[in-house]
Amino acid sequence: MSDSTRPEIIRYDPFAGPPRINGARRIGIRPGTELIHAMAGTGSRPITWTVEGLPATLAVDAAGIVRGHAPQTPGTHEMRVRASNTEGSTDAVVQLHVGSTLALTPPMGWNSWNVYADAVDAETILRSARAIVDTGMRDLGYQYVNIDDHWHAPERNPDGTPAADPRAFPDGIGALADQLHAAGLKLGIYSDAAEKTCGNCFGGLAHERIDAETYAAWGVDYLKYDYCHAPRDAATAIERYGAMGDALAHSGRSIVYSACEWGGRRPWTWAPEAGAALWRTTWDIFDTFGAGRLGVKGIARRNLGLGRHAGPGHWNDPDMLLVGNHGRGRATGTLRAPFSGNWRPKLWSFRGLTDVEAHTHVTLWAMMAAPLLASHDLSESDPYDLALLTNPEVVAIDQDPLGHQARVVEQSRHGWILEKRLAGGGVAVSLTNMGRRPRTLSITGERLGLRGDEEVFDAWTHEVQRSHPRITAHLPAHGSALLVIH
Ligand code: GLA
């Protein structure tokens, strides 16, 4: 699908050299609830781990997976983490915040929807989970494996508990969660704040308690709660999302809550209070760069205006990543009427993103502190697509503990220049050519508050340059540069 030169990112191999600690530096967990957390690290393999400062209720194995239960008392614990390989060792402090806030950095993982839509089963989920481990994505911090719509049996059980499709999930969701947890991964599930989901499976309305309890008993770690078949007004949405948020908070498990009402009722003003750690800000993304509100550009534009609502534990969600689908995703490759589901007439087909556009997609999502949820067939990732998802510097910008969403420094029809403040005083800057011809974009260091003698680090290529009075990037059509300045 590439009609343009591949940006030079593939030269960087995250799995060579001395160890590097990736992933969240701040982890939120509810008091007394189960913790399963795989420390994430790249560099040449194998990497061995030690963690000091763990509360007595937690233990770590040699693979760096921390397991156990959070202490009962709210508070912060500093875990002193060391990763070692044959080429050296490195240390980091990872904070464990025991309290009511989860997702202190944007969730990372994978979701079944973009690629598989309604064709989802246990085998597909397990294959994806294995691929997260085998490709090294887990070593960057990808940890949630989320089943989207269509996991459901035709009906709930007679006692009202939710039931999975017995053909697609013959051993049930709990058995699947156990297998994921054994690999240091987490399981996500999907429901809807109405009687039915977007795919017409049973929804969660009036079953919030029993659903949250069952999810907790299954070992579910993440819930995406959709809004098809629900009334349009905001008051009802606030009430319905609040009911599920409350049920999850009392479920006895730390379940990250993702609200998905597509931004129509300004969820950024009420979703945190409803208990949601993230909320969709836009309609579904489709596998195209332009196409008005449907593609990467339109979605990013809308999400960008909402930066002040983002921060640790509450994130704007501009939808999942398209990377790796190349127009073939069952949900994102075609537009059907209405937009969800696969049984409706096809209105439009998308060819997918070019390599340059996919590079820009990940650049913008990292700058916007967006959740990084891949959603393609992970067992067949192209090396270039995998490199887009596994660049430690880029992931670190997304996961920066400050939780700042980039602000717009300059935005015109041809170019966007964004700035994201980083913990420790640095800034990340992205320059994106939104035009259809190659173009040079530049910005003065002064506008970014720089002195002019700082080191400018290219997050994609890992090259270092000195900053000039102007920071300049020569960019192909739809191409981006992503720079870090300390
Ligand atoms: C809606 C959501 C999508 C997906 C589908 C499932 O369209 O926005 O992300 O979950 O429903 O049917």
Side-chain angles (χ1 to χ4, degrees):
M1 196 54 52
S2 0
D3 58 14
S4 42
T5 328
R6 296 194 145 183
E8 284 199 37
I9 60 161
I10 214 120
R11 272 184 298 153
Y12 179 74
D13 177 7
F15 300 101
R20 174 190 165 113
I21 297 173
N22 305 312
R25 294 294 162 97
R26 302 176 72 199
I27 302 166
I29 179 107
R30 292 207 173 96
T33 64
E34 187 178 25
L35 178 79
I36 299 156
H37 181 83
M39 290 298 167
T42 42
S44 73
R45 289 147 160 166
I47 292 175
T48 51
W49 296 87
T50 58
V51 181
E52 284 171 13
L54 278 178
T57 50
L58 294 168
V60 64
D61 64 17
I65 304 177
V66 179
R67 296 178 195 278
H69 283 76
Q72 294 289 350
T73 329
T76 299
H77 300 261
E78 303 235 310
M79 304 190 278
R80 294 181 302 282
V81 181
R82 168 162 292 187
S84 312
N85 66 10
T86 51
E87 304 194 37
S89 66
T90 184
D91 301 291
V93 171
V94 177
Q95 290 181 338
L96 183 68
H97 293 270
V98 182
S100 53
T101 312
L102 308 178
L104 293 173
T105 61
M108 290 178 67
W110 176 87
N111 174 298
S112 58
W113 180 252
N114 287 0
V115 53
Y116 299 118
D118 58 332
V120 71
D121 59 19
E123 197 33 57
T124 311
I125 299 299
L126 282 174
R127 196 175 62 237
S128 309
R130 274 193 297 272
I132 290 190
V133 177
D134 295 347
T135 56
M137 285 175 69
R138 193 189 65 184
D139 305 320
L140 274 298
Y142 293 87
Q143 51 173 342
Y144 289 97
V145 177
N146 296 347
I147 316 172
D148 209 278
D149 207 348
H150 299 277
W151 57 268
H152 315 64
E155 308 274 348
R156 290 173 175 273
N157 293 317
D159 65 359
T161 51
D165 179 348
R167 278 168 313 165
F169 297 91
D171 303 323
I173 304 294
L176 193 56
D178 289 347
Q179 294 185 70
L180 262 50
H181 293 160
L185 298 172
K186 298 182 168 84
L187 178 71
I189 208 160
Y190 164 99
S191 187
D192 188 295
E195 275 163 26
K196 294 207 172 296
T197 68
C198 296
N200 288 323
C201 304
F202 59 81
L205 183 64
H207 291 84
E208 294 86 356
R209 287 265 155 211
I210 202 165
D211 284 359
E213 277 165 19
T214 310
Y215 297 156
W218 285 343
V220 165
D221 305 291
Y222 186 111
L223 173 69
K224 172 173 168 184
Y225 208 41
D226 217 332
Y227 207 59
C228 282
H229 309 292
R232 282 172 161 264
D233 65 290
T236 306
I238 294 170
E239 191 189 311
R240 291 187 182 190
Y241 276 99
M244 182 53 95
D246 194 53
L248 292 173
H250 292 95
S251 70
R253 198 167 172 87
S254 287
I255 301 179
V256 168
Y257 185 27
S258 151
C260 179
E261 62 71 77
W262 322 292
R265 282 145 288 257
R266 303 172 55 79
W268 42 90
T269 62
W270 51 262
E273 236 169 285
L278 63 161
W279 48 85
R280 280 274 296 278
T281 54
T282 69
W283 190 241
D284 293 6
I285 198 164
F286 286 87
D287 209 347
T288 174
F289 193 77
R293 293 190 308 174
L294 301 180
V296 166
K297 183 177 171 184
I299 296 240
R301 186 191 283 122
R302 176 156 164 83
N303 194 67
L304 260 183
L306 299 168
R308 69 181 184 285
H309 304 287
H314 44 274
W315 308 103
N316 291 310
D317 174 4
D319 209 358
M320 296 165 269
L321 296 168
L322 299 161
V323 175
N325 279 312
H326 302 281
R328 296 188 300 260
R330 246 168 106 82
T332 51
T334 48
L335 180 64
R336 292 170 191 267
F339 298 142
S340 60
N342 285 290
W343 52 94
R344 310 282 178 163
K346 192 156 111 180
L347 297 179
W348 196 260
S349 290
F350 299 105
R351 292 208 327 212
L353 305 178
T354 65
D355 290 331
V356 169
E357 290 166 346
H359 176 261
T360 285
H361 180 25
V362 179
T363 300
L364 293 175
W365 264 233
M367 286 296 283
M368 295 191 297
L372 295 182
L373 295 171
S375 189
H376 66 290
D377 179 352
L378 295 180
S379 60
E380 292 195 351
S381 286
D382 173 289
Y384 172 82
D385 293 329
L386 195 58
L388 284 178
L389 298 171
T390 57
N391 189 307
E393 293 292 341
V394 178
V395 168
I397 292 171
D398 180 79
Q399 293 291 301
D400 186 80
L402 205 58
H404 182 239
Q405 177 175 324
R407 74 176 182 93
V408 176
V409 182
E410 255 178 48
Q411 193 170 27
S412 74
R413 212 151 53 85
H414 303 301
W416 295 7
I417 300 178
L418 311 180
E419 176 201 45
K420 182 185 197 295
R421 278 184 286 114
L422 302 175
V427 289
V429 179
S430 66
L431 303 96
T432 302
N433 175 7
M434 285 297 177
R436 293 189 186 173
R437 297 216 184 92
R439 186 177 297 270
T440 298
L441 292 180
S442 74
I443 177 116
T444 61
E446 208 182 341
R447 293 230 17 225
L448 300 168
L450 303 176
R451 290 189 314 259
D453 59 349
E454 291 90 346
E455 262 184 11
V456 177
F457 181 78
D458 186 315
W460 283 111
T461 63
H462 295 211
E463 275 158 11
V464 178
Q465 46 190 91
R466 281 253 164 249
S467 90
H468 305 269
R470 293 192 83 81
I471 292 173
T472 300
H474 309 289
L475 300 165
H478 297 170
S480 288
L482 179 56
L483 306 167
V484 178
I485 301 146
H486 284 291

